[in-house]
């Protein structure tokens, strides 16, 4: 499957989804807790952003910055003593942006039970050069049927993000034209 976005002159060689896939693991401690005694959602979100950023940097071959986070879902609470695994991979690439899918798994550090999914998120990263300007990224090649599904779903999320952004911009322009000052 190839990227539907126009590519700059001098195409960049494609990379497979496996080329930059990574897992970040961390044991949750008392300093990670919220007032309810479970791990603070912000701690999990930072781990998600860290893992996704590593994947985006690997895939793009250089610096990449977080542009947005979509659909951060917390499915189960994470507790002190849980070993959290944050698995991330590039799902889709555009000209200078990438969607990274992240799955958060947790297991008790001292038990031999399988890890369970406790969260997921989709993040968009923009590859940047030394001046902070967008730079091209390699197209991603989905390898498995699951990767192809993730690629197609990422295209749908991108379409929705762009439509939402357009609709909000149009609404704000209309309100400004009507003299409504927000």
């Amino acid at each position: 499957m190839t990227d539907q976005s126009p590519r700059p002159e001098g195409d960049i060689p494609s990379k497979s989804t496996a080329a930059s896939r990574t897992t970040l693991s961390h044991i949750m401690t008392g300093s990670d807790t919220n007032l309810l005694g479970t791990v603070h959602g912000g701690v999990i979100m930072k781990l998600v952003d860290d893992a996704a950023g590593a994947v985006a940097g690997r895939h793009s071959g250089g610096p990449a910055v977080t542009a947005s986070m979509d659909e951060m879902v917390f499915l189960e609470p994470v507790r002190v003593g849980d070993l959290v695994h944050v698995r991330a991979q590039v799902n889709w690439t555009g000209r200078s942006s990438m969607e990274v899918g992240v799955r958060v798994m947790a297991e008790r550090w001292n038990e031999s039970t399988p890890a369970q999914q406790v969260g997921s998120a989709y993040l968009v990263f923009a590859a940047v050069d030394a001046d902070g300007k967008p730079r091209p990224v390699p197209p991603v090649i989905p390898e498995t049927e699951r990767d192809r599904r993730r690629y197609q779903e990422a295209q749908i999320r991108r379409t929705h993000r762009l439509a939402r952004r357009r609709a909000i911009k149009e609404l704000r322009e209309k309100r400004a034209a009507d003299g409504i000052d927000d």
Side-chain angles (χ1 to χ4, degrees):
M1 185 169 290
T2 59
D3 185 358
Q4 303 299 315
S5 299
R7 290 274 166 205
E9 295 298 318
D11 283 343
I12 300 172
S14 300
K15 287 186 178 180
S16 68
T17 51
S20 58
R21 188 178 292 141
T22 194
T23 300
L24 173 78
S25 297
H26 189 77
I27 293 178
M28 299 291 105
T29 66
S31 64
D32 298 320
T33 60
N34 59 28
L35 296 174
L36 298 175
T38 57
V39 173
H40 195 289
V43 170
I44 301 299
M45 290 173 74
K46 181 175 184 332
L47 293 172
V48 164
D49 192 42
D50 286 347
V55 166
R58 281 179 165 186
H59 184 83
S60 68
V65 297
T66 311
S68 70
M69 179 183 274
D70 285 356
E71 300 178 33
M72 180 73 218
V73 177
F74 298 100
L75 302 169
E76 297 288 335
V78 177
R79 302 171 292 163
V80 170
D82 281 353
L83 178 57
V84 173
H85 308 285
V86 184
R87 300 178 180 149
Q89 78 170 46
V90 173
N91 290 336
W92 176 89
T93 55
R95 195 171 38 251
S96 63
S97 64
M98 302 156 273
E99 183 193 89
V100 178
V102 180
R103 178 172 291 183
V104 183
M105 308 293 290
E107 61 183 303
R108 294 305 293 168
W109 70 273
N110 59 347
E111 296 176 9
S112 59
T113 56
Q116 70 173 15
Q117 185 173 354
V118 295
S120 65
Y122 300 101
L123 295 88
V124 176
F125 281 80
V128 295
D129 63 19
D131 297 322
K133 303 290 185 208
R135 63 180 175 81
V137 298
V140 69
I141 301 171
E143 299 172 290
T144 66
E145 194 54 44
R146 176 183 270 179
D147 292 340
R148 286 185 279 282
R149 175 187 53 79
R150 288 178 175 172
Y151 185 95
Q152 291 170 332
E153 290 173 357
Q155 288 179 307
I156 293 168
R157 281 186 293 274
R158 179 177 185 271
T159 299
H160 287 208
R161 276 191 298 272
L162 294 174
R164 184 177 59 234
R165 185 179 300 149
R166 260 191 316 274
I168 290 170
K169 181 180 178 190
E170 289 170 6
L171 176 64
R172 289 180 179 173
E173 288 171 351
K174 182 182 181 326
R175 291 176 60 83
D178 291 344
I180 302 171
D181 185 21
D182 289 332

